[in-house]
Amino acid sequence: MLNSKLQRIKELIQEKERVDTELAQLIGESEKPKRGRRKKEDNTTLPAGAET
């Protein structure tokens, strides 16, 4: 049951992406960057008082 739900979620996400792309083409918008977490940079500094 869980696998079938996950499969349906994946299908719906793919369909949404397809629809979003088609709408952007019809409206004339440029494709927006994909959403997601930003990659951490290697040389980041910790806030003051943070322990390592």
Side-chain angles (χ1 to χ4, degrees), residues 5-21:
K5 285 184 179 183
L6 289 174
Q7 181 62 35
R8 183 63 181 146
I9 290 169
K10 289 178 184 179
E11 291 169 357
L12 290 171
I13 290 170
Q14 289 173 344
E15 184 177 342
K16 180 191 178 300
E17 289 174 352
R18 183 191 59 78
V19 169
D20 287 347
T21 301

Side-chain angles (χ1 to χ4, degrees), residues 4 16 37 39 41 44 47:
S4 62
K16 180 191 178 300
R37 288 186 170 174
K39 293 182 180 178
E41 295 180 18
T44 57

Side-chain angles (χ1 to χ4, degrees), residues 18-48:
R18 183 191 59 78
V19 169
D20 287 347
T21 301
E22 187 173 343
L23 284 171
Q25 290 172 350
L26 291 172
I27 295 171
E29 294 181 6
S30 61
E31 189 172 330
K32 295 179 181 174
K34 295 206 180 254
R35 298 176 69 181
R37 288 186 170 174
R38 295 176 67 183
K39 293 182 180 178
K40 289 186 177 182
E41 295 180 18
D42 292 335
N43 58 357
T44 57
T45 58
L46 295 174

